[in-house]
Each structure stands twice: as structure tokens, then as C-alpha cells.
Amino acid sequence: MSSPLFDVWEAASASPYQPTVGKNSQFLIGSVLLFAAFILAGVFGLNRSFVNLSLLGVPASLAFGFGAVYMICAVGVYV
Amino acid sequence: MRSITLVASCLAALSSFVTAELNLSQPLRSKQVLSSAFKPPQVFKNANLVRTTNLDKAFPRETINVVIENIDTKPQSEYYLPFETSLISKVGGLEASDKKNPNLGAFKVEVVGFEEASSTEFYLIHLPKPLAPKEQQTLSITYSILSTLSPVPATIAQSEKQYVQYTFSAYTPSAYTTDKQKTKVKFPNGDIPDYTTLPADVNAENKADPQKQGSTFTYGPYEKIPAGAEQEVSVRYEFTKPLTHASLLERDIEVSHWGGNLAVEERYWLQNLGAKLKNHFSRVEWQKSSYMSPPTSALKALNLPLNPGALNPYFTDDIGNVSTSRFRPGKREALLELKPRYPVFGGWKYSFRVGWDANLSSYLRKVAGGDSYVLKVPFLEGPRQPEGIEYARVNLRVILPEGATNVKYSTVVPVIDSDTTLHRTFMDTIGRTTLSLTAINIVDDFRDRDLIVTYDYPWTAGFRKPVVITLGMFAIFATVWVVGSLDTSIGKKKTA
């Protein structure tokens, strides 16, 4: 079989897709990030100020965003 | 809300418009329509034709090897193959190639119809190189005919043998004069109680027609058969195996870049087209005979060979998990052995779903330079049965990550329709780009055909999911801060 797309497939044989975080470490990464988000949110809850909103809220949101994606993948819903 | 839907549908419409131009495998969506007075021009003749009908499986598989000769004065490249209108809708997987030069690959084949209802329709085979006058070429045409075997008798006892009847024309239907032809019929066994005999004077060698050799019958040879001539014959033979027919197979392949996973789910609507039960189903009789495992017309088990590396399989139906399944992972293939909840006898139906995961790295590659990816997956997996399985309709969806654009595909499976739409599911904002392909009248011989999909997926699009969740979370923090800093106390504010 020879078609242009098959040639593309053959040409890319050296670069199989590898995800940034492998399947085995998704749960660990996800839980660490979610735990970090939980702690940061807790500290923010104790002292709510505009400075803390950017100092704690932004990293907490980022940790929650990525942590949630990895945790959902780890439990089998591959988003 | 309405405006979001509008924008999304506009995007979907635009994306399908763009991709329609780019797809390399053209779907057979358009059907060439001819005026009712059309007759195929008599520019060819069949110098020699040998048709082999293989009845090993639950659907007849025809192979026509024909030496065609151009008898016109100009080079010709359009060869017509006629079918009755009632039959053409059952013909599946028709492929034509050059028998002596297989490197040319499969020729372009399309269905042509008539403006008004006609009793004959044609497959049109385009020869890649026009055939010069007086030149000859050997074509090899293969196809399967679905749901055409009829059980005779139509009802049998539970452990009785099943016999099926196949009716066809002893003269291979052709739009051209055939100088010499014969038809070989290969049966699965030697138990052939009934068959049509033709008078010896029809036969070119004045022999009894058909000639028998073990489980193979030969009708012919016949000489100088005019175009369109038919001679109906029937054969009835033992086939104590299920006639498994999938009226619909929905197959979803979901690509997840974040999870590094390829998820496959298949939903089957199966039916056994075999002889119906004469009496009620007897569980006692079934259980007694199951130790001996005699041949039966019921569908007892399905074996799905999966690619090595398949993980987490599941098998459910309308009730829930079906526990009678076994998964044998292996290095060369992973075998998923399924047993339906009940033996599926003639006329009975069973619908179920199976699914599994796989690591994406064996199916997806990154194209060097740029954000393009190329995906190679089997078009059809599904059960591998000795008696075969036929699919009336296969709806395949390749669900790509959210934000994938410029989707192109290529496959050698004859596809009748293709579309690029959006599929919305967990944690999606705009929906995932989905390539939908539809094929009809496919048999399990197409298991090993691949589907190659390429798409562009910029790294910015990949961050959509975590960024959306991050923004949502940050909005909560901001709201908490705003609400928390509101002064809701009653009474005068203390200024000091």
C-alpha cells in the first residue's frame, strides 16, 4: 500500500508520540498538585487579601488546573 | 448561550467544508446517474472468464478472473459490471485489480445508477491505463454478497444440522459477450443434498452440468454467452454455523494527548440470520450437548484478537457487565474471548459493547517540524470467526483532541461518507474534532486494513483544558476575596 499519508507515517517512524507525563505517574503528579492546591487554598482562606489572591490564588489555581487534568486521566477518563 | 451554539455550528460547518477538499480517500458519496436509455458501449469482450464462488463463510465470496479484450478502435478504460438492483445493495467490498500486475493496486470503482428505476445497475471499473485496441488485460474482481444465504428448511430443531440455499446465475452476469467461461463453487463440506442440474447440451463440452469434484462443483464451460444472459441455479448445502450479521457497528477511537491513551469502544447490533428454532429453546438439551461441543447454528462465542498492548477491556450489554468473558494479553496479540449472555439462535438478536485502552505511542507519531501528528489505527477490528461476520453498516468515529484542525485521512476501505464534526464530552469547552466515516456492506476480511489520519494540533490548543480549569478556580478565589471583603455589619462604621 502506498499513499501520501502512509509515506508520512513511515517518515515519522523515529518520533512516536510520548506524553509529558506517562500513564504510571499520572496519579502521583495529579495527587501532589491537587494536595498543593488544597494547602494553598487553605492558607489563602486564613488570610484573604489582595496580595494573597495573586501570591497564593494563582499558584493554587494552576496546581488545581493541571492536577485535575492528570487526576481525571489517572482514574481512567482520558480527556 | 444561543450565540455560542451558533458560532460552534458555523465553525463545524466551516471545518467540514475545508476538510472536504483535502481528504485523500474520496468517499463514494456521489453516484453517477445515467439516463434510462443507457447501455454499456460494447467496446470490450471477455475472452476467458473464471468465477470462483467460495461458500466457506456465512456470506458467498466471489472472485472473477477475466481476460478482457478491447474490440473497439479506440483505447478504452471504462469496464461495466452489471448487478440486479436487488442484489447490488448487498454487494460489499468490491475490488478490482490487475491479476498479472498486482503492483498497480486496486482500481477506482464506483456505482452507477439510472434516473428511473431499473432492474440492472452497474459497478464501473476504471482501468488506470486505457486499454489499446486488440490488447488484453486480466482483471481480478472480488466481492462478497451479504445476507443472501437463506436457511432451507427455515426452522430446525435445536441440535439439528442447518442447510442453507444460495441462488445465483450459472452464467456470470456481464455487460459484454463472453467467449468462454466457467463457475467453480467451493462448498464448506461434501453434504450437498440439492443443486440445479443443467442440460448437457448447454455445456460446451457436452458434459453433465455441474461437474463434481469432492466439495467443489463446476458449472460450465460455456461458450459465446451474450451480454446480459442469465441462467438461474440454486445449491443447498450443510452449514451448521451461525450466519452472524451485524446490522450496525459503531466504533469510536478516542485520542488523548494528555493521558497518552487511545481508547476504543465498539457497539454491536448482532443478529443470527440462520434457521429459526422449531420448538422452544431447551436449556437442558443445550447444557447436555455443550460438553461435546457439537457444531451448532447458534452463536456461542466471539473471539476478538486485539493488538498487543491492549489494556482494561470491558464487555457490557443493556443489563450491565457480562461476566462470561476472558482476556488473554499476549506479546503477539491480546485475545478477548466473549460469550454472549445466551446462545444466539437463528432470528435472535444480541447487542453489546466492548472497549479497551492502549498506549498512544504505538499509534501516534509526531511529524518532524511543526505541530502535525499522524495516527494509524485499524479501520475494523472486531471478532474473528471461522464462519465470518458481515457488517451492514459501520460508523467509525475518530475523536481527536480538542482544537485539532486540518484533518486528512486515507484508507483503502471503500467509505461512502465522511464528515468532520465536533463531539462534546467531559471537560470540553468547544468540543473535540471528530472524523466520522461510514462504510456499508463490509465483511471481516477487511480487518487488517488501516486508517491513517493526520491533523494539526498546536501546543497552545493542548493547554486549553488546564487553563480553563485554572481560570475557573481563580474566579472562585477572586469571588471569595470580593465577598469576604464586603462589609455587611449593621450600624455605623467605626471611623477610628
Side-chain angles (χ1 to χ4, degrees):
Chain A
M1 191 181 88
S2 171
S3 73
L5 292 194
F6 186 72
D7 297 341
V8 171
W9 168 258
E10 286 294 308
S13 61
S15 52
Y17 175 77
Q18 293 296 349
T20 328
V21 172
K23 272 188 183 177
N24 294 331
S25 36
Q26 279 164 359
F27 185 80
L28 181 72
I29 301 267
S31 44
V32 164
L33 286 173
L34 285 182
F35 186 70
F38 179 73
I39 296 294
L40 288 171
V43 174
F44 172 76
L46 292 176
N47 186 6
R48 298 186 305 269
S49 65
F50 184 74
V51 179
N52 272 351
L53 181 64
S54 47
L55 223 70
L56 297 169
V58 171
S61 310
L62 279 170
F64 186 80
F66 285 87
V69 166
Y70 280 123
M71 186 50 82
I72 287 172
C73 286
V75 297
V77 181
Y78 290 99
V79 291
Chain B
M1 190 62 209
R2 193 179 290 170
S3 60
I4 294 173
T5 337
L6 184 73
V7 169
S9 55
C10 286
L11 271 177
L14 267 176
S15 64
S16 63
F17 178 72
V18 170
T19 49
E21 292 292 311
L22 293 166
N23 283 326
L24 299 174
S25 293
Q26 288 297 323
L28 307 167
R29 193 180 330 187
S30 61
K31 183 167 159 180
Q32 193 178 325
V33 177
L34 304 167
S35 75
S36 49
F38 172 81
K39 282 212 170 88
Q42 294 296 306
V43 294
F44 289 110
K45 75 169 181 178
N46 302 322
N48 193 3
L49 186 151
V50 177
R51 174 173 59 162
T52 310
T53 304
N54 195 330
L55 298 172
D56 273 353
K57 289 200 173 185
F59 42 85
R61 289 177 296 165
E62 307 267 11
T63 306
I64 301 175
N65 288 321
V66 56
V67 181
I68 60 167
E69 185 181 329
N70 184 356
I71 52 170
D72 200 40
T73 50
K74 288 177 200 154
Q76 297 291 340
S77 66
E78 292 189 339
Y79 184 85
Y80 287 87
L81 191 68
F83 287 98
E84 276 179 41
T85 308
S86 59
L87 186 65
I88 203 162
S89 58
K90 297 177 182 171
V91 169
L94 192 138
E95 287 180 319
S97 59
D98 191 319
K99 189 161 173 62
K100 290 184 178 161
N101 191 0
N103 298 335
L104 289 176
F107 297 169
K108 192 187 161 204
V109 172
E110 62 179 330
V111 180
V112 291
F114 288 108
E115 283 171 350
E116 292 158 24
S118 157
S119 62
T120 309
E121 289 191 64
F122 295 93
Y123 266 94
L124 173 55
I125 298 168
H126 294 270
L127 307 179
K129 220 169 72 182
L131 195 60
K134 294 193 181 146
E135 286 283 301
Q136 290 193 335
Q137 188 171 18
T138 310
L139 294 185
S140 175
I141 303 163
T142 55
Y143 57 92
S144 305
I145 305 172
L146 281 76
S147 40
T148 187
L149 299 179
S150 53
V152 179
T155 55
I156 54 172
Q158 195 170 308
S159 36
E160 217 179 328
K161 282 181 180 176
Q162 176 179 259
Y163 288 88
V164 294
Q165 180 177 321
Y166 177 49
T167 304
F168 58 101
S169 169
Y171 304 153
T172 307
S174 178
Y176 310 100
T177 308
T178 308
D179 281 356
K180 200 176 172 196
Q181 66 164 303
K182 64 178 173 185
T183 295
K184 279 188 194 166
V185 186
K186 287 185 181 166
F187 294 97
N189 52 52
D191 188 358
I192 307 148
D194 296 304
Y195 53 88
T196 311
T197 49
L198 295 177
D201 53 345
V202 184
N203 190 296
E205 294 166 356
N206 285 325
K207 282 185 187 164
D209 212 11
Q211 291 284 309
K212 287 181 270 182
Q213 278 179 321
S215 60
T216 304
F217 281 15
T218 307
Y219 280 95
Y222 308 113
E223 282 180 352
K224 298 278 177 220
I225 299 297
E230 293 205 11
Q231 173 63 56
E232 195 172 88
V233 291
S234 289
V235 290
R236 192 169 80 95
Y237 57 98
E238 194 222 319
F239 192 83
T240 315
K241 290 173 189 167
L243 303 178
T244 316
H245 174 87
S247 50
L248 175 65
L249 163 64
E250 285 181 357
R251 180 169 148 80
D252 289 351
I253 297 171
E254 198 171 327
V255 177
S256 162
H257 279 225
W258 277 107
N261 187 66
L262 184 87
V264 183
E265 180 171 285
E266 298 189 327
R267 294 175 290 277
Y268 289 86
W269 282 262
L270 291 188
Q271 190 182 2
N272 186 347
L273 299 179
K276 292 180 178 158
L277 283 182
K278 201 186 276 175
N279 302 310
H280 290 295
F281 170 62
S282 159
R283 172 59 73 177
V284 175
E285 195 186 330
W286 177 257
Q287 215 59 38
K288 267 198 299 191
S289 68
S290 69
Y291 289 103
M292 319 262 278
S293 139
T296 171
S297 58
L299 177 66
K300 280 202 298 192
L302 293 158
N303 290 331
L304 268 91
L306 308 178
N307 282 340
L311 306 158
N312 315 327
Y314 57 89
F315 171 32
T316 60
D317 62 9
D318 289 348
I319 303 173
N321 179 47
V322 189
S323 57
T324 46
S325 68
R326 205 176 268 153
F327 181 56
R328 301 180 190 276
K331 274 186 183 159
R332 291 179 58 197
E333 69 176 21
L335 188 65
L336 183 58
E337 297 171 1
L338 311 176
K339 272 191 183 155
R341 236 173 242 282
Y342 47 86
V344 185
F345 281 93
W348 293 11
K349 293 177 178 176
Y350 187 60
S351 55
F352 62 94
R353 68 175 68 199
V354 288
W356 59 90
D357 288 333
N359 285 331
L360 193 56
S361 53
S362 2
Y363 297 93
L364 188 71
R365 290 174 181 172
K366 193 173 191 312
V367 178
D371 294 321
S372 289
Y373 292 87
V374 54
L375 175 79
K376 184 163 90 104
V377 286
F379 188 91
L380 190 70
E381 283 173 279
R384 185 171 63 200
Q385 303 286 94
E387 70 274 6
I389 172 167
E390 59 187 37
Y391 303 90
R393 188 178 183 88
V394 179
N395 289 345
L396 171 68
R397 285 194 306 180
V398 183
I399 303 168
L400 301 171
E402 217 175 359
T405 51
N406 192 16
V407 182
K408 295 181 201 166
Y409 75 94
S410 162
T411 178
V412 284
V413 176
V415 171
I416 58 157
D417 195 13
S418 72
D419 197 8
T420 309
T421 51
L422 291 176
H423 171 70
R424 290 182 190 84
T425 176
F426 305 113
M427 292 175 85
D428 284 349
T429 35
I430 53 167
R432 305 181 191 186
T433 312
T434 300
L435 172 69
S436 314
L437 300 174
T438 306
I440 54 167
N441 294 355
I442 296 286
V443 296
D444 60 353
D445 296 345
F446 282 77
R447 288 191 88 253
D448 303 327
R449 309 289 178 93
D450 282 322
L451 167 71
I452 300 179
V453 181
T454 60
Y455 57 93
D456 293 346
Y457 184 56
W459 66 274
T460 44
F463 279 103
R464 185 187 302 275
K465 269 180 223 300
V467 164
V468 165
I469 302 172
T470 301
L471 289 178
M473 200 63 201
F474 187 75
I476 293 174
F477 280 119
T479 316
V480 166
W481 171 70
V482 169
V483 171
S485 51
L486 287 179
D487 187 4
T488 51
S489 57
I490 302 168
K492 267 189 184 172
K493 260 186 187 171
K494 285 176 188 167
T495 45

